[in-house]
Amino acid sequence: MSTSETVTFDAGACPCNAGRLVKRVTSQGNPWSGVDVAFSIDCPACTTEWRIDRTMMVLRSSESAYYSALAADRVARDAVHALVLPLIEHFLKELEAPNKKALHTELTRLNLTTMSYRQFLEHMRRGNNASAAVTSTRNPGWLSSIADAHGVRDQLDRLSQTLKSTGQACTHAAQQVVRRKIQ
Ligand SMILES: [Zn+2]
């Protein structure tokens, strides 16, 4: 038998003033469960334009610009990755490390991996490629030099510049998302 009880409160006018915001407080009828507070919008127009995020109202149209910025950033990141991955694979092949220990030592020396030797072994044991253990952005000088050696330095610089711009656009778009605290 449930003893939960929900009490509804008026939480003020909706943004267009035609409807109301509703606060529902549900208590479980025992002292160890806290209360659940949920807000909703009792207005068809505002429900279309806004969504509730805990105690905030978020303007949906302002979020779509942010999602577009995120998508563009993903495309730019993928383009850099597609250019860099074959360079890394070529580098690893040329390295001709005699064993995993030697390979990890070299990646560490060049500041190209965040993995400890133990993590690297686990990574390889799971059937991953060594190239996926390389974080090339940790050593921009090294990355530029291998791009140079393959004649794609200009392309890398261009794609990196684009990625920088899309990252800034994401930050900017995130700041433009309209949020209203529900009183
Ligand atoms: Zn409204």
Side-chain angles (χ1 to χ4, degrees), residues 14-19 43 45-46:
C14 64
C16 80
N17 280 314
C43 169
C46 288

Side-chain angles (χ1 to χ4, degrees), residues 2-22:
S2 171
T3 55
S4 76
E5 183 191 26
T6 299
V7 186
T8 302
F9 298 93
D10 183 274
C14 64
C16 80
N17 280 314
R20 307 299 296 176
L21 302 175
V22 180

Side-chain angles (χ1 to χ4, degrees), residues 32-149:
W32 56 87
S33 303
V35 295
D36 291 322
V37 178
F39 290 96
S40 59
I41 307 169
D42 189 8
C43 169
C46 288
T47 304
T48 307
E49 284 186 24
W50 299 82
R51 70 176 181 87
I52 300 282
D53 180 15
R54 283 164 296 176
T55 61
M56 308 290 276
M57 296 184 68
V58 184
L59 187 61
R60 295 178 195 272
S61 59
S62 70
E63 283 190 300
S64 64
Y66 174 59
Y67 291 136
S68 300
L70 279 182
D73 190 57
R74 167 56 70 88
V75 169
R77 193 172 304 278
D78 287 351
V80 171
H81 185 70
L83 179 69
V84 166
L85 185 61
L87 308 185
I88 293 172
E89 282 171 349
H90 184 261
F91 164 79
L92 293 173
K93 200 172 159 209
E94 293 279 289
L95 205 56
E96 291 184 334
N99 52 49
K100 292 189 182 72
K101 180 67 187 168
L103 178 53
H104 182 262
T105 300
E106 185 61 5
L107 292 180
T108 303
R109 187 184 71 77
L110 289 168
N111 189 25
L112 287 177
T113 189
T114 58
M115 291 183 190
S116 66
Y117 181 50
R118 182 188 291 238
Q119 288 167 332
F120 181 66
L121 285 181
E122 179 63 16
H123 172 82
M124 298 301 284
R125 195 187 61 74
R126 291 183 180 188
N128 297 301
N129 288 324
S131 59
V134 174
T135 309
S136 59
T137 48
R138 286 173 64 85
N139 189 340
W142 173 86
L143 183 55
S144 294
S145 72
I146 62 163
D148 253 337

